[in-house]
Amino acid sequence: MFQKVLVAEDIDSINLAVAGLLNDLGICTVEHAQYCDEAWLLFKKAKREGSPFDLLICDLSFRPDYRPEKLRSGKELISAVKEEDPDLKVLVNTIEDNPQTVRTLWESGNIDGYVSKDRHGMRDLREAIQAVNKGDKYNSLRIERLLRDDTILILGDWEMELLKSIATGYTQDEIEGDFKTRGITPNSRSSIEKRLKELREDFGANTTPHLVGILKDLKLI
């Protein structure tokens, strides 16, 4: 079983529940961080001292407060620690179940399990820890069903760049210039216009602003 675990979670009640679960599993060395930057510093300290963490259990969303943070989300923290330590096992433990988020994290190769915080969350987290400890991958049942749903439209990196630019207020001409400057392809006005038309049809949007509104409601952008 894992010997040393880092928990990045900003809700006290969940931290207590996770601590109890890890204790039941015989994991005695557990450190908690309520901010991503704090988790990063604990990770770096443990690595520097020659006693790195075996497992990171990480939420994705952290409520901002007065503290300025360099790492502001679980996704940023996961990416940072995996770049430093590719062997570190990572479990996502979150209420966020957006298909785009889930698939993007799995495709990144940075996670070993995805647990949904629901009524069975602690049970699933226990199963996830045990599975990952054996070298397996793990998804909560809700997440597994979501990943098997072929009707869900997943946007690629190019579409995400395009839609973020539109949501920011850029015109198609400005996006064309920006994409060319950054070497993003395709970058012609016609390809941008064509893909926006297809996305409006896919999501049942009447206009591009309507499309942006739909995607924001779905938390895709």
Side-chain angles (χ1 to χ4, degrees), residues 107-124:
E107 288 170 2
S108 73
N110 285 338
I111 67 172
D112 300 278
Y114 201 112
V115 177
S116 180
K117 286 181 185 174
D118 54 25
R119 66 186 66 182
H120 303 300
M122 283 298 111
R123 180 203 67 190
D124 289 351

Side-chain angles (χ1 to χ4, degrees), residues 96-110:
E96 191 170 336
D97 59 0
N98 180 278
Q100 185 82 26
T101 299
V102 176
R103 292 193 180 182
T104 299
L105 277 167
W106 274 115
E107 288 170 2
S108 73
N110 285 338

Side-chain angles (χ1 to χ4, degrees), residues 47-186:
K47 197 167 183 288
R48 186 173 62 249
E49 293 175 349
S51 58
F53 291 99
D54 305 311
L55 172 68
L56 168 65
I57 300 175
C58 187
D59 197 353
L60 294 181
S61 300
F62 291 77
R63 185 172 296 176
D65 60 13
Y66 65 93
R67 295 169 51 133
E69 293 286 308
K70 292 181 179 178
L71 299 173
R72 292 177 290 181
S73 72
K75 284 184 281 188
E76 292 180 8
L77 173 61
I78 291 168
S79 178
V81 298
K82 288 295 284 188
E83 186 173 347
E84 285 273 333
D85 184 359
D87 295 327
L88 177 70
K89 299 296 183 182
V90 177
L91 275 175
V92 173
N93 184 43
T94 184
I95 197 171
E96 191 170 336
D97 59 0
N98 180 278
Q100 185 82 26
T101 299
V102 176
R103 292 193 180 182
T104 299
L105 277 167
W106 274 115
E107 288 170 2
S108 73
N110 285 338
I111 67 172
D112 300 278
Y114 201 112
V115 177
S116 180
K117 286 181 185 174
D118 54 25
R119 66 186 66 182
H120 303 300
M122 283 298 111
R123 180 203 67 190
D124 289 351
L125 184 58
R126 177 188 291 270
E127 291 179 358
I129 294 168
Q130 292 170 329
V132 173
N133 181 64
K134 293 188 296 183
D136 298 329
K137 304 295 184 183
Y138 183 91
N139 278 310
S140 292
L141 181 59
R142 175 177 175 78
I143 301 301
E144 195 64 39
R145 287 173 176 166
L146 181 151
L147 291 172
R148 290 176 180 171
D149 188 350
D150 294 332
T151 66
I152 296 173
L153 179 63
I154 301 298
L155 303 175
D157 292 340
W158 187 84
E159 285 84 2
M160 292 300 295
E161 286 286 346
L162 171 61
L163 291 167
K164 285 176 184 176
S165 297
I166 289 288
T168 304
Y170 285 103
T171 66
Q172 292 183 27
D173 287 334
E174 289 171 332
I175 294 170
E176 179 183 9
D178 178 52
F179 279 16
K180 286 180 177 177
T181 299
R182 292 195 284 154
I184 297 174
T185 57

